[in-house]
Amino acid sequence: MKQVKLNSETKKDILTSLLKRSPAQYPEYEKIVADILDNVRNNGDKAVFEYTEKFDGFKYNSSTIRVSEEEIDEAYNNYDKKLISIMEKAYDNIKSYHEKQKQNSWISTDPNGSILGVKVSAIEKAGVYVPGGKAAYPSSTLMCVIPALVAGVDRIVMTTPADKNGKVSDCTLVAAKICGIKEIYKVGGAQAIAALAYGTETIPKVDKIVGPGNIFVALAKKAVFGHVSIDSVAGPSEILVIADETANARYVAADLLSQAEHDQLASAILLTTSKELADKVNEEIDGFLKELSRTEIISSSLENYGYILLCDSIDDAVDAANEIASEHLEIITKNPYETMTKIRNAGAIFLGEYSSEPLGDYFAGPNHVLPTNGTAKFFSPLSVDAFIKKTSIISYSKDALEKVHTDIEKFAESEGLTAHANSIKVRFE
């Protein structure tokens, strides 16, 4: 990995480099995505079937594009029972964590005769996109579905691409069965997002779409936002590690590579006050690259978006981390909890040398669908909040309104909205 002395100029260069990975920087794909969205909106199932045949190599119709219960049961019955047990443990951890996020409606009454409150309701229909194709991600199934279940969403619709034989990955179907999801459609890419956003003869329109995907999925979600709600426009994966001289170089190297293996656009950055640690981390990375399976992808990721930034102090490292606002942030320092208090921007924070990032990806409980490309400055992880909406409740008695009606009338008239003022005024004529 490239070693760079951290200063204002190098930090600026790195931020510019990282932004090149943003979905907003791929306008050449936007026209392709727009055409797919328009086609599905106008032609429904016909367009979806054509795209799945073109991109996935299998010809569907309205009765075969939905995963059957027999397919789900077959996948579950044939799957490794030990892995099923592990997924069930992960399910319990994730559900337990998200249940702590639940919100309740509330009402506040005042002796003056006013009643104010909030009604919390789950959205009716949620669409969950689970990536497939080159790799399967049952963990994403769990992370996207469980918050919706906890929120109380009435109908959860899942889409995921199948292989050229029309088969969805067993592990994805097993994760869906553990969550109790039965409505699954064999469609991926921008066409899946279009189907969920607009609805077709077979696939229902939903109220919100969540889940990670490739550049076409990200741009499609961006384009349909407003027609439906989305979780976020996710970019390539990121990890940033803040470490001092007390950190274990082998652990740090392994953690950086855990994200670099996702794809060539993934980013892995180490911020450290120790030149000795930096050198040892590079040595460990070289050793790991001789052992790991996705070395070509890892090497490309590190070449383009891998950095070791040498900092004068932990405070300088924190300042840089807050500017980068990484998806995953590990803090492996003498006092990680003290360092954490200074972090303002990160998708998820992992504290200490035994809190490796994959712990969050698979098992601990917090959601692994996180803001990327610096959006942790204003976005949060996927949560139960994503699947609820709030409605304000207002009730005033005549006595309560009488005490303030002239104030309201004057306020409305100051904006030139005399009909607003009159709506109050007529009640006291």
Side-chain angles (χ1 to χ4, degrees):
M1 292 176 68
K2 300 178 288 290
Q3 288 194 32
V4 179
K5 176 65 178 175
L6 181 68
N7 56 44
S8 58
E9 193 59 38
T10 55
K11 184 164 66 175
K12 179 181 176 182
D13 290 343
I14 289 165
L15 290 171
T16 301
S17 175
L18 295 180
L19 287 174
K20 292 176 183 176
R21 307 172 314 118
S22 168
Q25 299 302 311
Y26 293 88
E28 67 268 28
Y29 297 127
E30 289 180 345
K31 177 64 165 62
I32 298 171
V33 169
D35 288 344
I36 292 173
L37 296 178
D38 286 342
N39 193 5
V40 174
R41 178 165 46 187
N42 294 326
N43 298 298
D45 277 353
K46 180 177 181 292
V48 171
F49 300 154
E50 288 172 353
Y51 286 126
T52 50
E53 183 176 6
K54 177 180 178 181
F55 297 128
D56 301 332
F58 194 83
K59 191 169 185 176
Y60 296 103
N61 56 45
S62 58
S63 61
T64 59
I65 199 165
R66 179 167 173 170
V67 177
S68 68
E69 288 194 40
E70 290 74 20
E71 288 177 281
I72 297 173
D73 290 340
E74 181 183 0
Y76 188 87
N77 293 333
N78 293 334
Y79 203 63
D80 185 311
K81 297 301 180 284
K82 177 62 176 175
L83 284 173
I84 291 177
S85 177
I86 292 169
M87 281 194 207
E88 289 172 341
K89 291 176 184 176
Y91 173 92
D92 290 340
N93 291 343
I94 298 164
K95 185 180 179 186
S96 176
Y97 179 86
H98 286 81
E99 281 179 336
K100 295 178 176 66
Q101 300 173 348
K102 290 177 71 172
Q103 297 186 45
N104 297 312
S105 303
W106 58 267
I107 290 288
S108 174
T109 61
D110 193 282
N112 69 7
S114 66
I115 300 173
L116 302 175
V118 168
K119 184 178 186 297
V120 177
S121 307
I123 63 175
E124 292 181 32
K125 289 178 287 187
V128 172
Y129 184 90
V130 177
K134 294 180 181 179
Y137 296 97
S139 58
S140 290
T141 305
L142 298 176
M143 292 292 183
C144 291
V145 170
I146 291 171
L149 292 173
V150 172
V153 174
D154 293 336
R155 186 176 182 183
I156 300 172
V157 181
M158 192 169 120
T159 64
T160 188
D163 64 20
K164 62 182 179 181
N165 297 312
K167 181 176 172 57
V168 173
S169 172
D170 283 352
C171 59
T172 298
L173 295 182
V174 168
K177 184 174 178 66
I178 289 171
C179 293
I181 301 303
K182 297 181 179 179
E183 189 169 1
I184 307 168
Y185 296 94
K186 302 174 183 179
V187 54
Q191 61 271 24
I193 302 303
L196 292 170
Y198 306 126
T200 72
E201 297 90 333
T202 302
I203 301 172
K205 179 189 183 305
V206 300
D207 302 309
K208 183 157 192 166
I209 302 171
V210 304
N214 64 16
I215 186 65
F216 296 100
V217 170
L219 290 175
K221 286 171 68 179
K222 179 183 175 185
V224 300
F225 176 65
H227 191 79
V228 293
S229 180
I230 63 170
D231 50 353
S232 64
V233 181
S237 191
E238 306 164 341
I239 186 169
L240 189 150
V241 179
I242 297 177
D244 60 16
E245 71 284 353
T246 67
N248 183 310
R250 188 167 176 81
Y251 296 172
V252 172
D255 293 354
L256 291 168
L257 299 184
S258 74
Q259 294 307 292
E261 77 169 344
H262 270 295
D263 63 54
Q264 290 90 338
L265 294 175
S267 166
I269 297 174
L270 168 62
L271 293 164
T272 183
T273 52
S274 171
K275 178 68 166 65
E276 182 181 357
L277 177 74
D279 293 337
K280 287 182 179 178
V281 166
N282 262 335
E283 290 176 13
E284 294 289 352
I285 286 173
D286 290 340
F288 281 130
L289 286 176
K290 297 173 184 176
E291 306 170 6
L292 300 172
S293 60
R294 294 165 67 90
T295 54
E296 189 174 331
I297 291 173
I298 293 172
S299 296
S300 178
S301 167
L302 296 182
E303 175 66 25
N304 293 307
Y305 303 107
Y307 296 93
I308 296 178
L309 301 179
L310 297 170
C311 312
D312 290 331
S313 67
I314 290 296
D315 283 343
D316 288 338
V318 167
D319 288 343
N322 281 327
E323 277 297 306
I324 294 169
S326 185
E327 178 187 20
H328 307 100
L329 171 62
E330 290 188 6
I331 302 176
I332 309 176
T333 58
K334 186 176 182 180
N335 192 340
Y337 297 94
E338 180 183 348
T339 304
M340 179 196 67
T341 63
K342 302 173 185 177
I343 296 296
R344 194 178 189 91
N345 304 319
I349 301 174
F350 301 78
L351 298 171
E353 63 181 6
Y354 292 103
S355 303
S356 177
E357 187 279 335
L359 175 65
D361 269 355
Y362 296 108
F363 208 76
N367 211 286
H368 80 195
V369 180
L370 302 167
T372 59
N373 287 309
T375 60
K377 291 181 178 179
F378 45 83
F379 279 143
S380 303
L382 185 65
S383 69
V384 172
D385 291 350
F387 298 97
I388 64 169
K389 54 192 180 67
K390 299 175 182 178
T391 305
S392 301
I393 297 171
I394 302 168
S395 175
Y396 268 48
S397 67
K398 181 179 180 181
D399 287 345
L401 184 61
E402 188 169 20
K403 294 173 183 175
V404 298
H405 79 93
T406 56
D407 292 339
I408 301 168
E409 292 160 20
K410 189 172 182 62
F411 207 154
E413 287 165 355
S414 74
E415 294 186 344
L417 299 177
T418 55
H420 278 63
N422 187 59
S423 173
I424 301 291
K425 189 180 300 182
V426 295
R427 285 165 166 77
F428 299 98
E429 290 176 338

